[in-house]
Tab-separated table of all heavy atoms in Angstrom:
chain	number	residue	atom	x	y	z
O	14	MET	N	257.940	200.061	280.912
O	14	MET	CA	257.405	200.584	282.083
O	14	MET	C	257.470	202.088	282.145
O	14	MET	O	256.672	202.753	282.806
O	14	MET	CB	257.966	199.822	283.300
O	14	MET	CG	257.095	199.822	284.480
O	14	MET	SD	255.544	199.107	284.133
O	14	MET	CE	254.870	198.787	285.816
O	15	ASN	N	258.600	202.539	281.662
O	15	ASN	CA	258.902	203.957	281.695
O	15	ASN	C	257.780	204.779	280.890
O	15	ASN	O	257.448	205.875	281.323
O	15	ASN	CB	260.300	204.134	281.125
O	15	ASN	CG	260.796	205.630	281.329
O	15	ASN	OD1	260.188	206.288	282.255
O	15	ASN	ND2	261.717	206.057	280.605
O	16	LYS	N	257.407	204.248	279.739
O	16	LYS	CA	256.343	204.940	279.007
O	16	LYS	C	255.060	205.010	279.746
O	16	LYS	O	254.377	206.017	279.661
O	16	LYS	CB	256.119	204.233	277.676
O	16	LYS	CG	257.272	204.508	276.594
O	16	LYS	CD	256.510	204.641	275.309
O	16	LYS	CE	257.550	204.982	274.254
O	16	LYS	NZ	257.439	206.253	273.588
O	17	LEU	N	254.667	203.973	280.484
O	17	LEU	CA	253.450	203.967	281.207
O	17	LEU	C	253.437	204.950	282.335
O	17	LEU	O	252.502	205.728	282.501
O	17	LEU	CB	253.218	202.421	281.810
O	17	LEU	CG	251.960	202.440	282.581
O	17	LEU	CD1	250.703	202.722	281.760
O	17	LEU	CD2	251.896	201.130	283.182
O	18	SER	N	254.581	204.953	283.123
O	18	SER	CA	254.645	206.048	284.193
O	18	SER	C	254.688	207.445	283.618
O	18	SER	O	254.042	208.364	284.156
O	18	SER	CB	255.906	205.812	285.029
O	18	SER	OG	257.067	205.926	284.261
O	19	GLU	N	255.235	207.707	282.394
O	19	GLU	CA	255.287	208.943	281.893
O	19	GLU	C	253.794	209.300	281.378
O	19	GLU	O	253.301	210.490	281.582
O	19	GLU	CB	256.170	208.935	280.610
O	19	GLU	CG	256.345	210.373	280.035
O	19	GLU	CD	257.288	210.288	278.876
O	19	GLU	OE1	258.276	209.557	278.916
O	19	GLU	OE2	257.085	211.093	277.866
O	20	LEU	N	253.007	208.383	280.794
O	20	LEU	CA	251.707	208.602	280.327
O	20	LEU	C	250.885	208.900	281.545
O	20	LEU	O	249.969	209.856	281.474
O	20	LEU	CB	251.160	207.387	279.612
O	20	LEU	CG	249.793	207.376	279.113
O	20	LEU	CD1	249.827	208.437	277.852
O	20	LEU	CD2	249.296	206.156	278.764
O	21	LEU	N	250.926	208.205	282.615
O	21	LEU	CA	250.217	208.444	283.853
O	21	LEU	C	250.476	209.841	284.377
O	21	LEU	O	249.627	210.565	284.910
O	21	LEU	CB	250.333	207.361	284.865
O	21	LEU	CG	249.809	205.987	284.567
O	21	LEU	CD1	250.233	204.946	285.579
O	21	LEU	CD2	248.326	206.055	284.390
O	22	LYS	N	251.758	210.224	284.426
O	22	LYS	CA	252.205	211.495	284.884
O	22	LYS	C	251.635	212.599	284.084
O	22	LYS	O	251.175	213.722	284.612
O	22	LYS	CB	253.719	211.512	284.946
O	22	LYS	CG	254.202	212.723	285.658
O	22	LYS	CD	255.750	212.707	285.730
O	22	LYS	CE	256.407	213.905	285.335
O	22	LYS	NZ	257.788	213.854	285.332
O	23	ASN	N	251.580	212.482	282.762
O	23	ASN	CA	251.159	213.533	281.945
O	23	ASN	C	249.623	213.696	281.876
O	23	ASN	O	249.274	214.778	281.655
O	23	ASN	CB	251.552	213.184	280.392
O	23	ASN	CG	253.083	213.381	280.203
O	23	ASN	OD1	253.739	214.010	281.073
O	23	ASN	ND2	253.645	212.796	279.176
O	24	HIS	N	248.895	212.638	282.280
O	24	HIS	CA	247.448	212.657	282.238
O	24	HIS	C	246.962	212.471	283.653
O	24	HIS	O	245.808	212.008	283.749
O	24	HIS	CB	246.893	211.624	281.304
O	24	HIS	CG	247.380	211.846	279.868
O	24	HIS	ND1	246.821	212.896	279.113
O	24	HIS	CD2	248.241	211.253	279.094
O	24	HIS	CE1	247.328	212.930	277.963
O	24	HIS	NE2	248.207	211.883	277.871
O	25	ARG	N	247.582	212.928	284.609
O	25	ARG	CA	247.137	212.667	286.035
O	25	ARG	C	245.888	213.400	286.339
O	25	ARG	O	244.954	212.902	286.958
O	25	ARG	CB	248.331	213.226	287.004
O	25	ARG	CG	248.006	212.917	288.430
O	25	ARG	CD	249.172	213.225	289.311
O	25	ARG	NE	250.357	213.453	288.548
O	25	ARG	CZ	251.348	214.276	288.846
O	25	ARG	NH1	251.302	215.070	289.796
O	25	ARG	NH2	252.448	214.293	288.086
O	26	LEU	N	245.756	214.592	285.882
O	26	LEU	CA	244.602	215.382	286.132
O	26	LEU	C	243.294	214.803	285.568
O	26	LEU	O	242.185	214.834	286.173
O	26	LEU	CB	244.749	216.908	285.648
O	26	LEU	CG	243.737	217.922	286.162
O	26	LEU	CD1	243.808	217.946	287.767
O	26	LEU	CD2	244.185	219.342	285.701
O	27	MET	N	243.468	214.450	284.337
O	27	MET	CA	242.382	213.656	283.577
O	27	MET	C	241.904	212.483	284.207
O	27	MET	O	240.738	212.183	284.387
O	27	MET	CB	242.606	213.497	282.152
O	27	MET	CG	241.498	213.212	281.297
O	27	MET	SD	241.838	212.862	279.501
O	27	MET	CE	242.903	214.152	279.047
O	28	LEU	N	242.913	211.734	284.728
O	28	LEU	CA	242.576	210.376	285.383
O	28	LEU	C	241.907	210.694	286.641
O	28	LEU	O	240.999	210.065	287.212
O	28	LEU	CB	243.802	209.583	285.593
O	28	LEU	CG	244.471	209.026	284.257
O	28	LEU	CD1	245.774	208.416	284.603
O	28	LEU	CD2	243.430	208.108	283.633
O	29	THR	N	242.340	211.712	287.395
O	29	THR	CA	241.511	212.126	288.671
O	29	THR	C	240.248	212.482	288.389
O	29	THR	O	239.286	212.201	289.139
O	29	THR	CB	242.439	213.315	289.402
O	29	THR	OG1	243.863	212.770	289.552
O	29	THR	CG2	241.861	213.603	290.613
O	30	GLY	N	240.012	213.398	287.428
O	30	GLY	CA	238.617	213.744	287.047
O	30	GLY	C	237.905	212.544	286.690
O	30	GLY	O	236.543	212.443	286.981
O	31	GLY	N	238.404	211.631	285.877
O	31	GLY	CA	237.652	210.410	285.614
O	31	GLY	C	237.234	209.559	286.802
O	31	GLY	O	236.108	209.019	286.998
O	32	THR	N	237.985	209.514	287.790
O	32	THR	CA	237.759	208.760	289.125
O	32	THR	C	236.589	209.511	289.980
O	32	THR	O	235.692	208.898	290.364
O	32	THR	CB	239.072	208.707	290.059
O	32	THR	OG1	240.045	208.160	289.178
O	32	THR	CG2	238.747	207.935	291.215
O	33	PHE	N	236.711	210.879	289.913
O	33	PHE	CA	235.702	211.607	290.678
O	33	PHE	C	234.341	211.549	289.934
O	33	PHE	O	233.333	211.413	290.457
O	33	PHE	CB	236.031	213.032	290.828
O	33	PHE	CG	237.086	213.300	292.048
O	33	PHE	CD1	238.160	213.800	291.922
O	33	PHE	CD2	236.690	213.023	293.296
O	33	PHE	CE1	239.145	213.961	292.860
O	33	PHE	CE2	237.364	213.239	294.414
O	33	PHE	CZ	238.667	213.722	294.098
O	34	GLY	N	234.433	211.567	288.555
O	34	GLY	CA	233.342	211.458	287.743
O	34	GLY	C	232.653	210.194	287.886
O	34	GLY	O	231.415	210.109	287.858
O	35	ALA	N	233.393	209.068	287.899
O	35	ALA	CA	232.830	207.698	288.086
O	35	ALA	C	232.040	207.579	289.397
O	35	ALA	O	231.005	207.086	289.530
O	35	ALA	CB	233.908	206.724	288.026
O	36	ALA	N	232.677	208.079	290.492
O	36	ALA	CA	232.083	208.091	291.763
O	36	ALA	C	230.784	208.967	291.760
O	36	ALA	O	229.844	208.573	292.296
O	36	ALA	CB	232.999	208.623	292.846
O	37	GLY	N	230.814	210.059	291.133
O	37	GLY	CA	229.642	210.952	290.988
O	37	GLY	C	228.563	210.314	290.243
O	37	GLY	O	227.438	210.418	290.590
O	38	GLY	N	228.992	209.625	289.124
O	38	GLY	CA	227.886	208.916	288.381
O	38	GLY	C	227.314	207.804	289.116
O	38	GLY	O	226.083	207.643	289.039
O	39	TYR	N	228.093	207.068	289.921
O	39	TYR	CA	227.497	205.978	290.796
O	39	TYR	C	226.577	206.645	291.802
O	39	TYR	O	225.457	206.096	292.085
O	39	TYR	CB	228.575	205.116	291.499
O	39	TYR	CG	228.008	204.138	292.245
O	39	TYR	CD1	227.424	202.960	291.723
O	39	TYR	CD2	227.944	204.239	293.712
O	39	TYR	CE1	226.934	201.920	292.535
O	39	TYR	CE2	227.407	203.246	294.520
O	39	TYR	CZ	226.910	202.090	293.876
O	39	TYR	OH	226.388	201.151	294.603
O	40	LEU	N	226.898	207.715	292.381
O	40	LEU	CA	226.180	208.352	293.533
O	40	LEU	C	224.778	208.892	292.841
O	40	LEU	O	223.860	208.860	293.400
O	40	LEU	CB	226.879	209.436	294.145
O	40	LEU	CG	228.001	208.956	295.197
O	40	LEU	CD1	228.779	210.198	295.720
O	40	LEU	CD2	227.341	208.142	296.279
O	41	TYR	N	224.960	209.418	291.584
O	41	TYR	CA	223.819	209.848	290.906
O	41	TYR	C	222.830	208.750	290.662
O	41	TYR	O	221.636	208.839	290.845
O	41	TYR	CB	224.135	210.547	289.558
O	41	TYR	CG	222.986	211.180	288.928
O	41	TYR	CD1	222.634	212.517	289.209
O	41	TYR	CD2	222.337	210.624	287.855
O	41	TYR	CE1	221.578	213.080	288.653
O	41	TYR	CE2	221.139	211.184	287.294
O	41	TYR	CZ	220.804	212.448	287.615
O	41	TYR	OH	219.737	212.966	287.066
O	42	TRP	N	223.305	207.612	290.256
O	42	TRP	CA	222.443	206.416	289.958
O	42	TRP	C	221.834	206.025	291.284
O	42	TRP	O	220.697	205.690	291.364
O	42	TRP	CB	223.344	205.387	289.352
O	42	TRP	CG	222.491	203.982	289.280
O	42	TRP	CD1	221.492	203.662	288.285
O	42	TRP	CD2	222.597	202.968	290.256
O	42	TRP	NE1	221.074	202.489	288.728
O	42	TRP	CE2	221.591	201.919	289.800
O	42	TRP	CE3	223.345	202.779	291.452
O	42	TRP	CZ2	221.452	200.766	290.472
O	42	TRP	CZ3	223.097	201.538	292.102
O	42	TRP	CH2	222.164	200.606	291.686
O	43	LEU	N	222.600	205.975	292.416
O	43	LEU	CA	222.118	205.491	293.601
O	43	LEU	C	221.033	206.453	294.171
O	43	LEU	O	219.989	205.907	294.738
O	43	LEU	CB	223.278	205.369	294.612
O	43	LEU	CG	223.087	204.741	295.986
O	43	LEU	CD1	222.790	203.205	295.687
O	43	LEU	CD2	224.296	204.781	296.746
O	44	ARG	N	221.258	207.699	294.217
O	44	ARG	CA	220.316	208.521	294.786
O	44	ARG	C	219.151	209.079	293.980
O	44	ARG	O	218.023	209.248	294.463
O	44	ARG	CB	221.057	209.781	295.287
O	44	ARG	CG	222.216	209.549	296.225
O	44	ARG	CD	221.523	209.210	297.519
O	44	ARG	NE	222.706	208.894	298.593
O	44	ARG	CZ	222.595	208.263	299.570
O	44	ARG	NH1	221.430	207.697	299.960
O	44	ARG	NH2	223.544	207.913	300.340
O	45	ILE	N	219.452	209.299	292.634
O	45	ILE	CA	218.494	209.965	291.728
O	45	ILE	C	217.986	209.002	290.616
O	45	ILE	O	216.857	209.133	290.198
O	45	ILE	CB	219.023	211.264	291.168
O	45	ILE	CG1	219.479	212.123	292.214
O	45	ILE	CG2	218.099	211.880	290.143
O	45	ILE	CD1	220.219	213.387	291.787
O	46	GLY	N	218.745	208.041	290.318
O	46	GLY	CA	218.606	207.226	289.106
O	46	GLY	C	217.148	206.930	288.729
O	46	GLY	O	216.254	207.066	289.605
O	47	CYS	N	216.992	206.446	287.511
O	47	CYS	CA	215.680	206.020	287.052
O	47	CYS	C	215.126	204.814	287.485
O	47	CYS	O	215.810	203.696	287.235
O	47	CYS	CB	215.833	206.134	285.464
O	47	CYS	SG	214.303	205.872	284.606
O	48	THR	N	213.945	204.722	288.091
O	48	THR	CA	213.421	203.427	288.550
O	48	THR	C	212.716	202.701	287.697
O	48	THR	O	212.564	201.499	287.702
O	48	THR	CB	212.609	203.714	289.922
O	48	THR	OG1	211.507	204.558	289.484
O	48	THR	CG2	213.407	204.195	291.006
O	49	SER	N	212.206	203.238	286.650
O	49	SER	CA	211.307	202.595	285.637
O	49	SER	C	212.151	201.924	284.616
O	49	SER	O	211.588	201.030	284.005
O	49	SER	CB	210.329	203.724	284.928
O	49	SER	OG	211.155	204.522	284.187
O	50	GLY	N	213.395	202.314	284.496
O	50	GLY	CA	214.216	201.612	283.521
O	50	GLY	C	214.176	202.071	282.084
O	50	GLY	O	214.767	201.530	281.185
O	51	THR	N	213.475	203.258	282.007
O	51	THR	CA	213.371	203.906	280.602
O	51	THR	C	214.492	204.833	280.256
O	51	THR	O	214.545	205.238	279.024
O	51	THR	CB	212.005	204.489	280.388
O	51	THR	OG1	211.798	205.461	281.327
O	51	THR	CG2	210.886	203.418	280.463
O	52	CYS	N	215.140	205.255	281.175
O	52	CYS	CA	216.187	206.233	281.058
O	52	CYS	C	217.524	205.438	280.669
O	52	CYS	O	217.974	204.725	281.453
O	52	CYS	CB	216.479	207.111	282.275
O	52	CYS	SG	214.954	207.700	283.061
O	53	PRO	N	218.044	205.743	279.502
O	53	PRO	CA	219.143	204.904	278.998
O	53	PRO	C	220.415	205.117	279.800
O	53	PRO	O	221.256	204.184	279.967
O	53	PRO	CB	219.416	205.420	277.547
O	53	PRO	CG	218.681	206.700	277.449
O	53	PRO	CD	217.602	206.751	278.449
O	54	VAL	N	220.680	206.270	280.370
O	54	VAL	CA	221.879	206.473	281.222
O	54	VAL	C	221.698	206.053	282.654
O	54	VAL	O	222.580	205.387	283.186
O	54	VAL	CB	222.452	207.853	280.914
O	54	VAL	CG1	223.698	208.157	281.765
O	54	VAL	CG2	222.758	208.170	279.456
O	55	THR	N	220.785	206.590	283.195
O	55	THR	CA	220.606	206.518	284.747
O	55	THR	C	219.913	205.271	285.132
O	55	THR	O	219.708	205.006	286.369
O	55	THR	CB	219.866	207.714	285.286
O	55	THR	OG1	218.632	207.830	284.667
O	55	THR	CG2	220.584	208.936	285.053
O	56	SER	N	219.418	204.376	284.203
O	56	SER	CA	218.827	203.225	284.698
O	56	SER	C	219.714	202.051	285.015
O	56	SER	O	219.467	201.177	285.791
O	56	SER	CB	217.733	202.583	283.636
O	56	SER	OG	218.508	202.262	282.448
O	57	SER	N	221.005	202.178	284.625
O	57	SER	CA	222.016	201.202	284.815
O	57	SER	C	223.183	201.814	285.610
O	57	SER	O	223.726	202.870	285.239
O	57	SER	CB	222.536	200.636	283.494
O	57	SER	OG	223.738	199.874	283.645
O	58	PRO	N	223.703	201.175	286.662
O	58	PRO	CA	224.721	201.745	287.271
O	58	PRO	C	226.148	201.741	286.477
O	58	PRO	O	226.922	202.627	286.533
O	58	PRO	CB	225.024	200.924	288.576
O	58	PRO	CG	224.342	199.601	288.236
O	58	PRO	CD	223.212	199.887	287.272
O	59	ILE	N	226.145	200.863	285.594
O	59	ILE	CA	227.493	200.762	284.845
O	59	ILE	C	227.455	201.993	283.850
O	59	ILE	O	228.471	202.622	283.664
O	59	ILE	CB	227.487	199.414	284.018
O	59	ILE	CG1	227.616	198.207	285.022
O	59	ILE	CG2	228.592	199.374	283.009
O	59	ILE	CD1	227.508	196.967	284.359
O	60	MET	N	226.297	202.288	283.169
O	60	MET	CA	226.231	203.321	282.263
O	60	MET	C	226.377	204.560	283.009
O	60	MET	O	227.119	205.508	282.504
O	60	MET	CB	224.939	203.352	281.444
O	60	MET	CG	224.828	202.238	280.399
O	60	MET	SD	226.164	202.302	279.147
O	60	MET	CE	225.825	203.817	278.365
O	61	SER	N	225.888	204.797	284.111
O	61	SER	CA	226.088	205.979	284.916
O	61	SER	C	227.554	206.250	285.287
O	61	SER	O	228.180	207.332	285.234
O	61	SER	CB	225.277	206.067	286.188
O	61	SER	OG	223.894	206.006	285.895
O	62	VAL	N	228.155	205.160	285.602
O	62	VAL	CA	229.682	205.261	286.068
O	62	VAL	C	230.524	205.530	284.754
O	62	VAL	O	231.371	206.504	284.865
O	62	VAL	CB	230.167	203.918	286.720
O	62	VAL	CG1	231.714	203.893	286.728
O	62	VAL	CG2	229.576	203.763	288.117
O	63	ILE	N	230.194	205.006	283.665
O	63	ILE	CA	230.916	205.163	282.433
O	63	ILE	C	230.711	206.765	282.004
O	63	ILE	O	231.703	207.442	281.698
O	63	ILE	CB	230.529	204.275	281.278
O	63	ILE	CG1	231.022	202.898	281.524
O	63	ILE	CG2	231.125	204.691	280.012
O	63	ILE	CD1	230.543	201.843	280.660
O	64	TRP	N	229.558	207.182	281.971
O	64	TRP	CA	229.323	208.547	281.499
O	64	TRP	C	229.890	209.559	282.545
O	64	TRP	O	230.346	210.568	282.248
O	64	TRP	CB	227.791	208.786	281.320
O	64	TRP	CG	227.367	208.375	280.019
O	64	TRP	CD1	226.606	207.216	279.777
O	64	TRP	CD2	227.519	209.021	278.683
O	64	TRP	NE1	226.300	207.179	278.281
O	64	TRP	CE2	226.811	208.287	277.675
O	64	TRP	CE3	228.131	210.237	278.401
O	64	TRP	CZ2	227.050	208.654	276.396
O	64	TRP	CZ3	228.212	210.599	277.091
O	64	TRP	CH2	227.640	209.738	276.118
O	65	GLY	N	229.799	209.165	283.775
O	65	GLY	CA	230.444	210.164	284.854
O	65	GLY	C	231.888	210.249	284.712
O	65	GLY	O	232.513	211.304	284.783
O	66	ALA	N	232.574	209.031	284.444
O	66	ALA	CA	234.048	209.067	284.156
O	66	ALA	C	234.487	209.891	282.933
O	66	ALA	O	235.342	210.543	283.029
O	66	ALA	CB	234.540	207.588	284.131
O	67	ILE	N	233.705	209.644	281.895
O	67	ILE	CA	234.058	210.418	280.624
O	67	ILE	C	233.841	211.925	281.028
O	67	ILE	O	234.636	212.749	280.583
O	67	ILE	CB	233.106	210.004	279.494
O	67	ILE	CG1	233.491	208.501	279.122
O	67	ILE	CG2	233.286	210.890	278.276
O	67	ILE	CD1	232.444	207.869	278.100
O	68	LEU	N	232.717	212.378	281.429
O	68	LEU	CA	232.572	213.746	281.743
O	68	LEU	C	233.458	214.284	282.769
O	68	LEU	O	233.988	215.391	282.583
O	68	LEU	CB	231.105	214.027	282.158
O	68	LEU	CG	230.046	213.759	281.075
O	68	LEU	CD1	228.649	213.974	281.747
O	68	LEU	CD2	230.192	214.741	279.997
O	69	GLY	N	233.817	213.633	283.824
O	69	GLY	CA	234.754	214.092	284.781
O	69	GLY	C	236.146	214.223	284.145
O	69	GLY	O	236.777	215.208	284.351
O	70	GLY	N	236.577	213.275	283.311
O	70	GLY	CA	237.848	213.239	282.631
O	70	GLY	C	237.935	214.483	281.729
O	70	GLY	O	238.977	215.157	281.637
O	71	LEU	N	236.903	214.734	280.977
O	71	LEU	CA	236.844	215.794	280.002
O	71	LEU	C	236.966	217.248	280.779
O	71	LEU	O	237.641	218.130	280.387
O	71	LEU	CB	235.641	215.759	279.143
O	71	LEU	CG	235.565	214.772	278.076
O	71	LEU	CD1	234.270	214.713	277.355
O	71	LEU	CD2	236.726	214.918	277.093
O	72	ILE	N	236.132	217.309	281.868
O	72	ILE	CA	236.101	218.639	282.567
O	72	ILE	C	237.413	218.848	283.330
O	72	ILE	O	237.973	219.998	283.199
O	72	ILE	CB	234.811	218.582	283.604
O	72	ILE	CG1	233.567	218.715	282.768
O	72	ILE	CG2	234.967	219.623	284.563
O	72	ILE	CD1	232.453	218.401	283.695
O	73	PHE	N	237.929	217.811	283.973
O	73	PHE	CA	239.298	218.103	284.605
O	73	PHE	C	240.324	218.187	283.520
O	73	PHE	O	241.357	218.929	283.776
O	73	PHE	CB	239.700	216.942	285.523
O	73	PHE	CG	238.962	217.078	286.826
O	73	PHE	CD1	237.728	217.265	287.171
O	73	PHE	CD2	239.850	216.808	287.990
O	73	PHE	CE1	237.109	217.371	288.437
O	73	PHE	CE2	239.270	216.918	289.270
O	73	PHE	CZ	237.964	217.189	289.518
O	74	GLY	N	240.233	217.612	282.417
O	74	GLY	CA	241.164	217.672	281.327
O	74	GLY	C	241.296	219.164	280.660
O	74	GLY	O	242.412	219.571	280.254
O	75	MET	N	240.222	219.836	280.847
O	75	MET	CA	240.153	221.270	280.356
O	75	MET	C	241.275	222.166	280.992
O	75	MET	O	241.780	223.030	280.561
O	75	MET	CB	238.889	221.906	280.516
O	75	MET	CG	237.850	221.336	279.571
O	75	MET	SD	236.341	222.270	279.600
O	75	MET	CE	236.031	222.730	281.229
O	76	PHE	N	241.540	221.765	282.289
O	76	PHE	CA	242.592	222.596	283.128
O	76	PHE	C	243.953	222.054	283.077
O	76	PHE	O	244.759	222.615	283.718
O	76	PHE	CB	241.909	222.620	284.588
O	76	PHE	CG	240.621	223.163	284.679
O	76	PHE	CD1	239.543	222.303	285.024
O	76	PHE	CD2	240.453	224.605	284.442
O	76	PHE	CE1	238.237	222.820	285.134
O	76	PHE	CE2	239.170	225.058	284.596
O	76	PHE	CZ	238.054	224.137	284.965
O	77	GLN	N	244.238	221.115	282.314
O	77	GLN	CA	245.477	220.546	282.110
O	77	GLN	C	246.358	221.409	281.224
O	77	GLN	O	245.860	221.891	280.127
O	77	GLN	CB	245.513	219.089	281.521
O	77	GLN	CG	246.726	218.481	281.544
O	77	GLN	CD	246.438	216.931	281.240
O	77	GLN	OE1	245.374	216.371	281.409
O	77	GLN	NE2	247.526	216.204	280.773
O	78	LYS	N	247.562	221.738	281.694
O	78	LYS	CA	248.473	222.472	280.854
O	78	LYS	C	248.914	221.844	279.578
O	78	LYS	O	249.138	220.572	279.606
O	78	LYS	CB	249.714	222.977	281.587
O	78	LYS	CG	249.389	223.955	282.816
O	78	LYS	CD	250.683	224.282	283.350
O	78	LYS	CE	250.429	225.268	284.544
O	78	LYS	NZ	251.535	225.650	285.314
O	79	LYS	N	249.067	222.528	278.541
O	79	LYS	CA	249.635	221.848	277.250
O	79	LYS	C	251.131	221.846	277.460
O	79	LYS	O	251.779	222.721	277.823
O	79	LYS	CB	249.232	222.728	276.108
O	79	LYS	CG	247.751	222.987	275.912
O	79	LYS	CD	247.043	221.860	275.402
O	79	LYS	CE	245.647	222.153	275.179
O	79	LYS	NZ	244.715	221.067	275.234
O	80	GLY	N	251.601	220.666	277.208
O	80	GLY	CA	253.048	220.452	277.237
O	80	GLY	C	253.585	219.538	276.177
O	80	GLY	O	252.817	219.057	275.280
O	81	GLY	N	254.801	219.327	276.232
O	81	GLY	CA	255.406	218.383	275.292
O	81	GLY	C	256.389	219.067	274.431
O	81	GLY	O	256.500	220.167	274.342
O	82	LYS	N	256.917	218.260	273.451
O	82	LYS	CA	257.863	218.794	272.483
O	82	LYS	C	257.093	219.363	271.398
O	82	LYS	O	256.080	218.828	270.795
O	82	LYS	CB	258.850	217.728	271.906
O	82	LYS	CG	259.626	217.090	273.024
O	82	LYS	CD	260.485	215.924	272.568
O	82	LYS	CE	261.194	215.359	273.671
O	82	LYS	NZ	261.902	214.149	273.303
O	83	GLN	N	257.531	220.528	270.819
O	83	GLN	CA	256.840	221.173	269.755
O	83	GLN	C	257.923	221.414	268.678
O	83	GLN	O	259.088	221.739	268.821
O	83	GLN	CB	256.211	222.425	270.083
O	83	GLN	CG	254.999	222.255	271.050
O	83	GLN	CD	254.374	223.459	271.291
O	83	GLN	OE1	254.519	224.583	270.676
O	83	GLN	NE2	253.358	223.321	272.292
């Protein structure tokens, strides 16, 4: 359990970004999404949430300080 709490503590910013990104992806699908079904990302709420979480995690992860043993 100690390793899990340490992992969550070290990647807190990236996980927060993933959460915000997932919410943003869902809102994008809800408000703007593709109604015809031809758009591969925005036609499905699941794909929009996944892509939003990935992008949010990557963007927030850019601001994470580098740490650890060297």
Side-chain angles (χ1 to χ4, degrees):
M14 203 60 160
N15 191 18
K16 284 220 179 241
L17 179 62
S18 63
E19 185 178 325
L20 181 71
L21 290 175
K22 186 174 130 182
N23 290 340
H24 298 288
R25 185 178 338 151
L26 194 59
M27 192 181 312
L28 293 171
T29 303
T32 304
F33 279 117
Y39 180 76
L40 288 174
Y41 185 84
W42 170 80
L43 190 64
R44 301 286 181 202
I45 300 172
C47 183
T48 56
S49 66
T51 59
C52 312
V54 174
T55 59
S56 64
S57 164
I59 295 171
M60 288 302 294
S61 292
V62 167
I63 290 171
W64 277 104
I67 290 171
L68 289 176
L71 288 173
I72 290 171
F73 274 49
M75 289 187 323
F76 301 107
Q77 190 167 335
K78 291 182 180 178
K79 304 286 185 208
K82 299 176 184 176
Q83 293 186 10

